[in-house]
Amino acid sequence: MNYIKKAGVMVMGVLMTAIMAGCGTVETGFSHDGRIPVVASFEATKEITEAIGGNKVEVLTVIPEGTEPHEFELKTGDIQKLQEARLFVYNGLGMEPWADQAIQAADNSKLKTVNLSRHITPIPLVDPEERKEHGAYDPHVWMGLSEAKAEALAVKNELQSVSPENREYFEHNYRQFAAETDALKKEYQQKFSHAPRKELVTGHAAFAYLCRDFGLTQVSVEDAFASGEPSAKRLVELADFCKAHHVKVVFTEELVSPAVSQTLAESAGASTESIDTLESSDDKSSYVERMRRNLEKILKAMQ
Ligand SMILES: [Zn+2]
């Protein structure tokens, strides 16, 4: 009896030590190397934050790689990053319905937050199915170059208040980002004005801002399986649309049913090409590089 009791106390002791050690070394992924710890909600907000923060910030995302942001649900472990961060950058417009809850739960008095979509004018959604999923406005604001620039300005202002000593550095990065996004938009507005085709067929409707800027119309394959199952009737309609408009390329996305896009392309006699909605990660390229790559691919498809 005595022995068992003693063993029990020892087990408790080990457990307590483990729990306390755990408290001191919570695994959040921040490397604590002197850079400012920043949390971005997902890939697109991370790219914009990194464009301004450069090597002065370490940006981790809440939504893990390979998860479609629209389908993410917050878990307790995700709060830990916010407890260590100085800034939380998120998109808003329904992309992160968990954001307010996460900020509250983190209970971090040093944490500043910025809802990027408050700094732009959003495009209203008209499709009832889209409104049901996303709310009144299209959340894919980062796909607009001018919107990204306005959001970068908001990130710059927040970073300057978190770290006044790096004021000039953030200012310089912002000016460069603004110049690059302006130039990219101007260059491709010129190029698209001569393109014979205007219909952009893609996985999900993430391109309203981009299409508005370049005089294009988006048609999304996701419409075909809004209720979970691809509708054969809708796929036939999409294929007919593609044929009628001589669509040469159906764009596919990593996280949105590439198989359906493939099927559509085959029945429409089109080819497929990947496109980047900045909802999945690409560590090797910057925001501007990724958008330039997208625009070049789309331009080619419109010839
Ligand atoms: Zn999306």
Side-chain angles (χ1 to χ4, degrees), residues 11 23 35 58 82 128 216 221 227 242 273 278 286:
V11 168
C23 287
R35 289 178 294 167
E58 178 176 21
L82 288 172
L216 308 175
V221 170
S227 51
C242 290
E273 172 67 275
L278 281 82
S286 69

Side-chain angles (χ1 to χ4, degrees), residues 70 140 204 279:
H70 301 283
H140 300 92
H204 84 295
E279 287 168 290

